[in-house]
Amino acid sequence: MSVQEYLDKHLLSRKIEDAVNAAVRAKAPDPILFISNHMRKAVPSAITKIRARQILDSRGIPTVEVDLYTNKGMYRASSPSGTAIGMYEAVELRDGDKGKFLGKGVSKAVKLINEKISETLIGMDPTLQAQIDQAMIDLDKTENKTELGANAILAVSIAACKAGAAEKEVPVYKHIADLSGKSEPVLPVPAFTVISGGKHAGNSLAVQAIMICPIGAKNFMEALQMGSETYHHLKSIISEKYGSNECNVGHDGGFAPNISSFSEGLDLVKEAIDRAGYNGRIKLAMDVAATDFCIGRKYELDSKALNKSGQNFKTGEEMIEMYTQLCSDYPIVSIEQPFDKDDWEHSKLFSALGICQVVGDDLLMSNPKRIDRAIQESACNALLLKMNQIGTVTEAIEVVKQAKDAQWGVIISHRSGETEDSFLADFAVGLAAGQIKAGAPCRGERVAKYNQLLRIEEELVGQAVYAGENWRFP
């Protein structure tokens, strides 16, 4: 027996003796359970093993999944992925081998986790999230995570966050609240995707999503009910007007009827809200994703139409006029990415009108430098936080703080390529974001987030606050 083995053996004996004595002093009704819990708490907190694998996301494209082990158990997390990859966001590491998964494989990212990241993090305390994330950032040594890949780093970061919560014996949302300095958890208002277009669907609609926001619900459970009922009424309306073949759905679960105009889609949703009986209690939101149909300095609204007229181009000023009219005609409270990712000028002009929440997506890319510029120039007034665009839990918390300090709204957002990981729900609650965008109230990878919010609300009975009318500033 080595000296270390001798010391370990006697240390364990002393801990067992301490646990037995504690059980006697406490007059524990179940001594075995008491001793087991006492011993579990006595074991030092440490990451003991990390294993990664390649899985498929909701689009059938590979992504990274991680199992992170501590003395308490195993904690699993996965990275989402977007359809469009922006030049200002953290790099997603792909294999590039066209012979496997059309070049979209992530075996390189998996190998880096199993060899380099694992070696660096084993032995670290999972409750020290900032130190774990910084260790991976230091290992990567690049500004945008080119070396290890944001998809690899994020999956490990989320798994570590779950392990940290378990080590503290608190829910994940409570651990996130502790990490961010928040005190009161808030259930967010969901922005349910009900009509899909843009790059997320095969129809002719340029706008990427039309969403419904049940701001008038009294709690999250009712919000989910309102969203589900409206969604199914919309399905019936689309079937009646266009036929059942038009009820196919896009990446996010929104219906994708072959419509081409913003107003046609908004009319369908407004009718569904009326039919469901929630007129006035549900507001509308749009994700325009205008970068996708910006040609030069103009916006081609029939960019996806089979028979393009070549006439449906709008200038930035004309787009502002269109949005202003739409907000007057419909109960729209939020418009996401109304202009191109580099069209700061028109984004500033539209934001200055103050007629709705103006959300930066491609404009910001969850990048703190871009967010700072937007704050200084008043280019928008809300952040769309996509965790894989920045790469770690700690950095995501920091940019949310950055946005909130500027009195911005914050939306915690899914991606078009999602997994059944429900971490996003805990993240939104823990940060008291007030808004979450996780897709339609259908498809397993989308409702996984909404169902987790239901569980959290149930757990917080009597304490839970639903953002509701305070959705921007909960």
Side-chain angles (χ1 to χ4, degrees):
M1 180 183 295
S2 69
V3 173
Q4 186 59 54
E5 288 172 333
Y6 176 83
L7 291 173
D8 289 345
K9 180 180 178 181
H10 282 269
L11 181 62
L12 179 60
S13 298
R14 195 179 314 132
K15 286 178 179 175
I16 293 172
E17 184 180 350
D18 290 343
V20 171
N21 291 336
V24 171
R25 289 194 302 271
K27 298 180 180 178
D30 188 340
I32 300 300
L33 179 62
F34 184 96
I35 292 169
S36 175
N37 289 335
H38 193 283
M39 288 293 295
R40 183 160 46 85
K41 291 177 181 178
V43 175
S45 173
I47 296 170
T48 58
K49 178 182 174 183
I50 299 175
R51 292 297 300 172
R53 66 183 62 84
Q54 179 173 266
I55 63 169
L56 296 183
D57 69 18
S58 58
R59 303 164 303 174
I61 295 175
T63 191
V64 179
E65 181 178 81
V66 167
D67 292 345
L68 184 146
Y69 295 79
T70 71
N71 297 319
K72 282 203 170 185
M74 184 273 283
Y75 307 93
R76 179 170 291 162
S78 52
S79 290
S81 179
T83 299
I85 307 299
M87 60 188 295
Y88 303 111
E89 65 181 272
V91 172
E92 187 178 67
L93 190 62
R94 297 282 180 181
D95 295 343
D97 181 356
K98 297 296 184 181
K100 294 181 179 179
F101 292 105
L102 308 178
K104 296 289 188 179
V106 291
S107 62
K108 289 180 182 178
V110 167
K111 185 177 181 181
L112 285 167
I113 293 170
N114 289 338
E115 295 179 2
K116 294 188 72 172
I117 294 177
S118 175
E119 182 182 347
T120 299
L121 299 188
I122 284 177
M124 292 188 71
D125 184 341
T127 65
L128 302 179
Q129 185 73 40
Q131 291 184 20
I132 289 169
D133 291 340
Q134 191 60 52
M136 290 190 284
I137 291 169
D138 292 343
L139 184 65
D140 179 85
K141 295 187 179 69
T142 68
E143 186 176 354
N144 58 355
K145 300 177 177 63
T146 307
E147 185 68 25
L148 300 177
N151 47 345
I153 292 173
L154 179 62
V156 176
S157 181
I158 293 174
C161 188
K162 293 178 180 180
E167 190 63 39
K168 291 162 59 178
E169 299 186 345
V170 298
V172 174
Y173 63 84
K174 178 64 170 65
H175 179 46
I176 292 166
D178 292 344
L179 293 172
S180 64
K182 295 291 178 186
S183 55
E184 297 299 326
V186 175
L187 274 297
V189 170
F192 296 114
T193 302
V194 290
I195 288 186
S196 292
K199 288 187 174 181
H200 288 192
N203 54 10
S204 298
L205 186 64
V207 63
Q208 189 161 279
I210 297 174
M211 297 167 283
I212 56 173
C213 306
I215 291 168
K218 63 179 181 290
N219 53 41
F220 184 80
M221 181 178 288
E222 185 180 44
L224 189 58
Q225 177 186 333
M226 291 165 70
S228 175
E229 290 175 0
T230 303
Y231 182 83
H232 287 287
H233 279 296
L234 178 60
K235 181 178 182 180
S236 297
I237 291 167
I238 291 171
S239 182
E240 292 164 12
K241 291 180 181 290
Y242 306 98
S244 58
N245 288 342
E246 295 295 308
C247 292
N248 292 327
V249 300
H251 288 172
D252 306 343
F255 297 112
N258 197 24
I259 57 178
S260 57
S261 73
F262 292 23
S263 57
E264 188 176 0
L266 290 165
D267 283 337
L268 289 172
V269 178
K270 190 171 181 297
E271 185 177 346
I273 293 170
D274 290 341
R275 190 176 290 191
Y278 296 124
N279 191 27
R281 299 180 66 198
I282 291 180
K283 303 298 182 181
L284 301 180
M286 293 196 304
D287 175 7
V288 180
T291 299
D292 294 339
F293 56 88
C294 181
I295 311 295
R297 292 184 59 82
K298 289 191 175 182
Y299 297 88
E300 186 182 12
L301 298 186
D302 63 357
S303 60
K304 294 176 64 186
L306 292 176
N307 300 310
K308 296 182 183 180
S309 66
Q311 304 298 314
N312 201 7
F313 280 88
K314 287 187 182 293
T315 64
E317 288 77 10
E318 290 170 333
M319 292 290 282
I320 290 175
E321 291 176 8
M322 180 186 71
Y323 294 138
T324 302
Q325 189 61 52
L326 288 173
C327 287
S328 174
D329 294 342
Y330 302 94
I332 297 172
V333 295
S334 182
I335 298 181
E336 179 185 327
Q337 201 55 44
F339 304 97
D340 178 65
K341 66 181 185 301
D342 291 315
D343 192 346
W344 294 82
E345 175 190 356
H346 293 104
S347 191
K348 286 189 284 186
L349 290 172
F350 183 52
S351 295
L353 297 178
I355 59 177
C356 69
Q357 175 177 257
V358 180
V359 186
D361 180 10
D362 299 342
L363 186 77
L364 305 177
M365 291 292 177
S366 304
N367 184 314
K369 292 181 180 178
R370 304 274 294 185
I371 295 168
D372 185 60
R373 177 181 173 183
I375 291 169
Q376 298 304 319
E377 298 185 18
S378 300
C380 57
N381 55 35
L383 165 69
L384 190 81
L385 188 278
K386 295 175 176 175
M387 296 192 69
N388 73 309
Q389 289 184 334
I390 191 160
T392 67
V393 169
T394 301
E395 291 170 294
I397 290 172
E398 288 303 313
V399 295
V400 168
K401 285 182 180 177
Q402 186 181 5
K404 282 183 170 286
D405 286 346
Q407 298 299 302
W408 279 15
V410 173
I411 306 171
I412 305 301
S413 177
H414 66 161
R415 301 307 311 266
S416 60
E418 266 297 336
T419 73
E420 58 270 35
D421 194 328
S422 63
F423 179 80
L424 215 61
D426 286 83
F427 198 69
V429 173
L431 291 178
Q435 303 174 67
I436 189 170
K437 176 185 173 187
C442 83
R443 297 190 53 156
E445 76 282 355
R446 312 295 158 179
V447 300
K449 283 72 169 172
Y450 298 134
N451 288 341
Q452 176 65 1
L453 288 168
L454 285 176
R455 298 182 196 105
I456 293 172
E457 183 170 66
E458 181 181 278
E459 187 176 305
L460 288 169
V461 63
Q463 306 171 51
V465 175
Y466 175 63
E469 298 289 346
N470 299 316
W471 55 284
R472 292 203 69 222
F473 307 112

